[in-house]
Structures are given as C-alpha cells and as structure tokens.
Amino acid sequence: MKNIKTYIPALCLALTLSLGLASCREEDPFLDRDVAPVLVDIVGAAFGAPIASEPTVGYKATATKLTLSARLLELDKTNILDHTKGIDSIPVPNVPIKITLRTGEILGEVTSNAQGLVTVDKTWAELGVPAPKAGGVTKISWTGTYKGIAFTRFSQIQAN
C-alpha cells in the first residue's frame, strides 16, 4: 500500500508534464499567418462569393467586352458586440491592384476609387481565349498591398 501511494503522485506529475508538452503549438511552415487586410468582393459572382475560395463570374461567349470588377472593403469590427450595429464594411480607396492571369500575364494595374471599386475592360482574346466556348474557365488573380500586408484574391471567368 505504501508503494502505491508513492507511485500515484509520481504518475500524476508525469501525466501533467507530458500533456503540457504535447499541447505546445508548433508553427506550420506551409500556412501564412497574416490575415488579409481587405475583403476583395468579386462583382458579378454568385451569392456567397466573398467567402467562396474562387468565385466565378459568367460572361457570354459572344461578348465583345468583358468588365472585370472587384470591390475592396475593410471590415470595421468596432461594434462587433453590439447586435444592433454589428460589423461594418468600409470601401477602401487608393489601393493599387494588379490583375493577372494565373499564367503570370498582366491584364492591368488599377487603383481603387472612392467606393473601393477596381475595374478593367478586356476582350476574350486579351484573356488568352481567341474562341470562347461555353463552360470554358479562365483563372484570374487580384493582388495588392494594404497597410503593409500583401494579399491575393483568386477568381474565375466562365464563358456561357
């Protein structure tokens, strides 16, 4: 009985130490820990697109001009605990954005206006699609820097 009383506290101490060491958080080298400083809302995408990983905007395959647009918003969380006000989305002006194809070809470099809107007009040929077919997808990147933090938003253009 005397031996059991000595082993129980030692066992409890060992378990406490091992659980404490096992719960240490190790940084993941593959994930970026910076939170995006702005919400890039792709204009024309289906509902839920600000949350979706790659929102898709459909354009007619016969269209001669495609207008690629996104709205840059900063989330003001000042009133997050007040259910009558909540989080507010504030347009972010004067942010330079580079719009590129995922192949690296630059489609345009524009700056957001007072409403946080960035827009560039292109043709299917300028997007690398000389003869668009229904269902064809072109992948786009929207890249910029705000408050010293770089961000990239992916989206897709689909021919209808």
Side-chain angles (χ1 to χ4, degrees), residues 22-88:
S23 67
C24 290
R25 195 169 141 193
E26 185 176 324
E27 290 295 322
D28 188 343
F30 301 108
L31 294 177
D32 188 5
R33 296 287 183 211
D34 290 332
V35 176
V38 294
L39 171 68
V40 181
D41 180 22
I42 306 300
V43 176
F47 178 74
I51 304 166
S53 61
E54 285 192 45
T56 303
V57 179
Y59 294 94
K60 292 188 179 199
T62 58
T64 56
K65 180 178 89 168
L66 310 175
T67 301
L68 312 177
S69 300
R71 221 176 11 245
L72 305 179
L73 303 166
E74 183 175 23
L75 300 178
D76 179 9
K77 299 176 185 171
T78 305
N79 297 312
I80 194 166
L81 297 177
D82 184 351
H83 76 282
T84 61
K85 296 179 184 173
I87 298 174
D88 193 14

Side-chain angles (χ1 to χ4, degrees), residues 6-7 24 72 102 108 127:
T6 354
Y7 289 121
C24 290
L72 305 179
R102 303 275 180 85
L127 294 174

Side-chain angles (χ1 to χ4, degrees), residues 100-125:
T100 60
L101 293 174
R102 303 275 180 85
T103 59
E105 183 181 337
I106 297 173
L107 297 175
E109 295 185 32
V110 293
T111 301
S112 60
N113 65 14
Q115 291 78 35
L117 190 66
V118 291
T119 303
V120 65
D121 292 327
K122 293 294 171 185
T123 64
W124 282 111

